[in-house]
Amino acid sequence: MKTDLKCLTMQQLQNVLQEMSEKPFRAKQIYSWMHQKLVTSFEEMTNLSNSLRKHLGERFTCTSLEKLVMLSSKDGSTQKYLFRLADGNVIETVFMRYRHGNSVCISSQVGCRMGCTFCASAIGGKIRDLTVGELLEQIYAVTRDTGEHVSHVVVMGTGEPLDNYENLLQFIEMLTDENGLHISQRNVTVSTCGLLEPLRRLAQRKLAITLALSLHAPNDELRRQLMPSARTCSIAQLLAVCDEYFRQTGRRVSYEYSLIKGVNDRPEHAHQLVELLRGKNCHVNLIPINPIKENDYHRSDVTNVLSFQKILETGKINVTIRREMGSDIDAACGQLRRRYMDNPEKS
Ligand code: SAH
């Protein structure tokens, strides 16, 4: 298989070009074409000789994503993309305009093997990990399509990022590299269902990225019902690693809690959550669940959401309710890809 040059760090690219007896500055030029000017082919690299461009094309590939569908929400805040990968698989990516800047939510895998019972991405399991080039290209393709600057990246789309750990780390390195888009580490968020070992390794890396832990339940019994991956470790173990993450990085951890009517949204759940998080420098993000047709979970009533929030506030926990964006275009959590997989012609 041909090597995808878009997956290589500057150093790796320099090594490849050195083996081809090219001058070191060529690596910088090619890197800049791919990661700053965001081109998708070697032909566009017009400061390289014709013969080098041809040679690169024969020996290497340069990932690009094919836009299959783009939907805009009525309020203009959100655009949702379905992209086709070179092997025909389909992924979704979301572009969100916020007051603080533009954000892209990317997928980390094709499908997901974590099996969370409320999540559309779990249906059908994991097909494969995304490559570094495919992780980056989601942001590049959206930037090209909108013509707008992207300042924030959230790895919160389909897939479990820590189940694709090596690629995730190299992606973050390249995304924040001054020779690329140079996005600040502080503007990158990684959301995980909580895989203990990779989480420990991530804490040791001392990156300035934000960690979002998908908690969704205040006790192990309920969490294990909702999230099969929770059977491999306890909430106490996860919180201990998150505390370590905070110690190592100084970055406040965000806990995601999707509210499901009658399942995890009762006052006693909120009180248990306060006990778990008491005194921690953290933040809780309450997400009224997006119902999917494959299960019969329902969204909590507004009054329950507000009283859940109130209990956390009274317990001195920082808490917000996630603003909903793009639900009119199925922008929430894996639903567009599902619809496409069910019925490709209609999407
Ligand atoms: N695998 C990672 C990232 C992808 S999911 C993780 O588990 O964090 C991103 C977030 O959306 C997670 O918090 C996930 O639990 C949540 N989520 C998944 N399906 C949802 C749904 N139907 N409604 C609301 N939130 C959902």
Side-chain angles (χ1 to χ4, degrees):
M1 222 169 76
K2 288 183 180 176
T3 302
D4 179 3
L5 289 192
K6 213 170 261 181
C7 291
L8 305 186
T9 61
M10 177 70 94
Q11 186 58 55
Q12 292 167 336
L13 187 62
Q14 278 167 349
N15 297 345
V16 165
L17 283 148
Q18 199 175 9
E19 279 164 30
M20 292 167 64
S21 311
E22 289 291 337
K23 300 235 163 54
F25 73 90
R26 290 282 176 225
K28 274 213 151 176
Q29 286 178 323
I30 296 169
Y31 198 91
S32 168
W33 279 113
M34 289 189 293
H35 302 288
Q36 288 179 324
K37 302 190 188 88
L38 312 185
V39 304
T40 53
S41 71
F42 298 117
E43 290 88 77
E44 293 165 88
M45 303 183 179
T46 48
N47 58 1
L48 308 182
S49 68
N50 274 333
S51 64
L52 178 57
R53 279 187 262 170
K54 193 160 163 282
H55 194 54
L56 291 173
E58 284 160 5
R59 286 196 49 191
F60 304 103
T61 59
C62 177
T63 302
S64 65
L65 303 179
E66 181 194 345
K67 183 171 85 174
L68 280 181
V69 178
M70 195 280 278
L71 300 174
S72 289
S73 64
K74 287 196 196 80
D75 65 3
S77 67
T78 307
Q79 288 173 210
K80 178 128 193 179
Y81 293 85
L82 268 189
F83 290 119
R84 193 186 347 243
L85 310 175
D87 65 359
N89 277 307
V90 173
I91 56 169
E92 66 182 71
T93 305
V94 188
F95 175 73
M96 290 160 289
R97 295 185 178 90
Y98 289 102
R99 249 166 299 142
H100 64 256
N102 294 326
S103 182
V104 175
C105 174
I106 66 161
S107 295
S108 55
Q109 297 176 316
V110 182
C112 184
R113 65 189 181 110
M114 296 299 132
C116 297
T117 52
F118 47 82
C119 180
S121 302
I123 304 157
K126 175 176 124 172
I127 297 176
R128 69 170 174 88
D129 290 332
L130 292 183
T131 66
V132 177
E134 289 164 342
L135 295 170
L136 289 166
E137 240 321 278
Q138 294 176 66
I139 298 145
Y140 301 173
V142 169
T143 304
R144 285 193 299 269
D145 195 71
T146 58
E148 293 180 44
H149 177 72
V150 172
S151 55
H152 292 68
V153 171
V154 294
V155 190
M156 241 186 224
T158 300
E160 168 48 47
L162 297 188
D163 189 37
N164 186 14
Y165 184 83
E166 299 303 332
N167 288 347
L168 176 78
L169 274 247
Q170 185 160 322
F171 157 77
I172 294 170
E173 181 188 334
M174 292 169 70
L175 184 69
T176 56
D177 184 345
E178 60 180 5
N179 296 299
L181 286 188
H182 201 193
I183 290 179
S184 160
Q185 279 188 8
R186 305 177 75 87
N187 292 355
V188 177
T189 299
V190 171
S191 177
T192 175
C193 65
L195 302 181
L196 208 52
E197 276 318 310
L199 206 47
R200 284 193 177 124
R201 286 164 68 198
L202 185 67
Q204 301 309 321
R205 294 291 294 254
K206 297 188 177 29
L207 299 175
I209 61 171
T210 300
L211 178 67
L213 184 90
S214 299
L215 196 56
H216 304 319
N219 61 66
D220 285 324
E221 195 192 341
L222 182 54
R223 194 164 188 269
R224 285 171 185 163
Q225 282 169 25
L226 297 174
M227 305 172 71
S229 66
R231 290 176 199 148
T232 59
C233 67
S234 65
I235 292 176
Q237 284 174 307
L238 280 178
L239 294 183
V241 190
C242 289
D243 288 347
E244 178 64 13
Y245 187 89
F246 178 69
R247 264 195 304 277
Q248 295 285 351
T249 64
R251 302 288 292 161
R252 193 172 78 162
V253 174
S254 208
Y255 293 99
E256 309 285 306
Y257 197 105
S258 296
L259 289 162
I260 312 172
K261 187 175 186 165
V263 174
N264 65 355
D265 67 342
R266 290 199 291 269
E268 75 235 38
H269 297 128
H271 288 295
Q272 282 177 29
L273 191 56
V274 170
E275 290 315 311
L276 279 181
L277 301 179
R278 191 184 289 288
K280 292 191 194 300
N281 192 345
C282 67
H283 172 250
V284 173
N285 202 7
L286 297 176
I287 313 166
I289 196 133
N290 296 297
I292 56 173
K293 69 173 188 324
E294 286 82 357
N295 64 41
D296 50 32
Y297 289 141
H298 300 282
R299 168 173 291 209
S300 302
D301 298 331
V302 175
T303 46
N304 288 0
V305 175
L306 294 176
S307 49
F308 200 99
Q309 180 187 32
K310 187 95 199 114
I311 293 168
L312 295 189
E313 280 171 349
T314 309
K316 303 228 169 356
I317 310 278
N318 293 305
V319 53
T320 49
I321 299 173
R322 182 148 92 186
R323 206 177 112 209
E324 252 201 283
M325 294 171 82
S327 52
D328 58 324
I329 50 167
D330 269 358
C333 310
Q335 299 184 74
L336 188 60
R337 175 172 173 267
R338 279 284 358 126
R339 210 174 61 190
Y340 179 83
M341 308 266 290
D342 287 347
N343 204 343
E345 296 83 46
K346 278 211 174 149
S347 290

